Structures are given as structure tokens and as C-alpha cells.
Amino acid sequence: MFPQTVGVHVRRESDDVVAAGGIVWRRSARGLRVLLIHRPRYDDWSWPKGKLDPGETVPECAVREIREEIGIEARLGIPLPSIHYRVSAGEKSVFYWAVQAGEQVPDPDGSEVDRVEWVSPARARELLTNRSDVAPLDYLEAAEAAGRLETVPLVVTRHAKAKPRSKWTRPEAERPLAPSGFRQAAELADLLRCWRPTRVATSPWARCVQTVQPFVSESKPRVKHVDAFTERSAKENPGKTQAKFAKLLKPKHVTVYCGHRPVMPTILPVLRAAALGDSAESLPDADPYLRPGAVLVAHMPVSDPGRITAFEIHEPFDD
């Protein structure tokens, strides 16, 4: 039986020591295989992972560590159970994601990692040095058995901090980001790349377009401005807004949606209705739903179009 869904809601200062990484996996003629790394410094077998750099988000850390240690350009899949234990500096938490290798060939850096091995989950349990590393593996294997391991993410973001309504006298559609919002948008571009989106569907109002612009400029996704995602349209015709949003729940393209706080109560029921198991418990259910510049990721199984197996929320950059 598939275990309870993992929900991730991460703040940067949630623990004394925070690290992140992933279980890289692939399918072979012999079934599911996972990638173990050997670290010569500790003479142990583990998953690729490492501590956050200053100013880095947890997903960014996971992607960077996987790239640096084994040369894999990761697109983060479903979140896996995190592990927690005491170290000399205090409480340490390590966050993990599933990462499908595809056709990529691991290339250990030779310093932190000198060997890698593709092994079965059973063999991985035998080799893992830290027994707490088995928990995310158990979840990953159960997700594969349930047909929920291979997923496509839908990344939902609320526009970054905007100039206050009370200080804006021109048309609402033209209200721009505040200076802090532009800084949030620049940081958001780095976070969005963790899921490697190829499309953006955004409200055409200025503050939403400006929020995704740094990511669009750097990554060149296909961009679509959707009038149904504006505050006005959602208020006048919420059914149309929901129908347009529901079209994004197709595991074909990795899409970023950018919208407004007042539209969240209209689109969240679509996500909740698509949720499998208890995953909907991870969704926000009270105003403001998402803080400006925050990200909610919905993971859609390739084997079950239109459904969602896991959610995760990441807090925005604040300077």
C-alpha cells in the first residue's frame, strides 16, 4: 500500500543545520535502480546531498549538490521523507527529492565522491551506512509500485510584492512590483529552475508578468498570457478561471502558473479535487494562501493524468 503523502513546507531557518539532496533513479530490465554514492572522507555509502549555501533555498541546494557530486542535472520529482538527527551544531534536517536520471550518466567529482553504484532498493538497504537514509528509499520504492514515481510538476506561484493598492491611482492592471518585489522575482528565477519548466501561464497584469520575467529572460520558456487568470476575470467568471487552470493539470509540459492572491480561492479547489490520497492536507486553506513570491508545486503522475500525488510549498525570498 502506498504510504501517506509527503508534504513539504520549508522555511530557510527551520533548523540549526539544513541540507538537501536526492535519490537518483532509473528503470532497467531488472527493475528499479537507485544511485548510491561512496564518500572517501567518511568511507560510507549514502545519497548525494550537502548543506545549504548562504541565501540558497532547499530545492536549489538539492539540485546543486547532485550536479557537483555526480554531474547529474536534476529536475526535482516528488518530495521524499526528510530525516532529522542531532549533530554538534544542533538539530539537522536533510530534505530529499526523487530525481529521474533519464539518459544522463553519473560522473563523480573524484573528491567528495569517488564511486557510484546503480543498485536495487534491496541492495541499497544493505549498503547504506546511515540507517535513517532508508526512510526516503522506502517511500520512493512504494511510489514506484503505486505508479506515482514518475511525475510532471505544475509550479504555482503568487506574484511578488507589489506596490500597495492604496498608493496606486492608475488602472489596477498596471500596478507594478515594489522594489522588494523585483528582488524577489530575481531570486524566484533560480528557484523555478529546480523543476525545469518549459512553459509559463500567467495573468497578463503587470505585477505577474514582472514576477516571471527574470525566469523567462534566462530560461526562454513558452509564455502565454491568460486573461482568465486576472483578478477581474476570476471575480466575474470563476468557472472560466477554473476551467482554464484545470487545463494545466496535464502531465506533458512542466508549467509555471503565476497569479494573484484573490484568485487563489478559485484555483485551489481544482488542485484539491485532483489530489490523491491525503495529499490535499498539504494545501493552504486560509488567506493569504501563499505569501507574495511563494511557490506551491503539484506533482502529477504520468500514469494518472489529471491527478496530483504530492504538494510542496516553499517560502519566498525576503531581504
Side-chain angles (χ1 to χ4, degrees), residues 130-147:
N130 185 348
R131 301 318 301 167
S132 62
D133 281 342
V134 172
L137 172 63
D138 288 344
Y139 191 91
L140 182 141
E141 188 176 25
E144 170 70 352

Side-chain angles (χ1 to χ4, degrees), residues 89-151:
E91 181 73 13
K92 181 175 182 177
S93 293
V94 185
F95 294 88
Y96 287 108
W97 280 264
V99 174
Q100 187 173 11
E103 299 300 318
Q104 297 185 78
V105 177
D107 181 20
D109 67 358
S111 175
E112 291 190 56
V113 178
D114 62 350
R115 283 186 289 161
V116 298
E117 293 285 344
W118 286 108
V119 297
S120 68
R123 180 57 175 158
R125 291 185 186 91
E126 295 175 356
L127 290 174
L128 283 166
T129 303
N130 185 348
R131 301 318 301 167
S132 62
D133 281 342
V134 172
L137 172 63
D138 288 344
Y139 191 91
L140 182 141
E141 188 176 25
E144 170 70 352
R148 301 185 193 175
L149 179 55
E150 185 176 0
T151 58

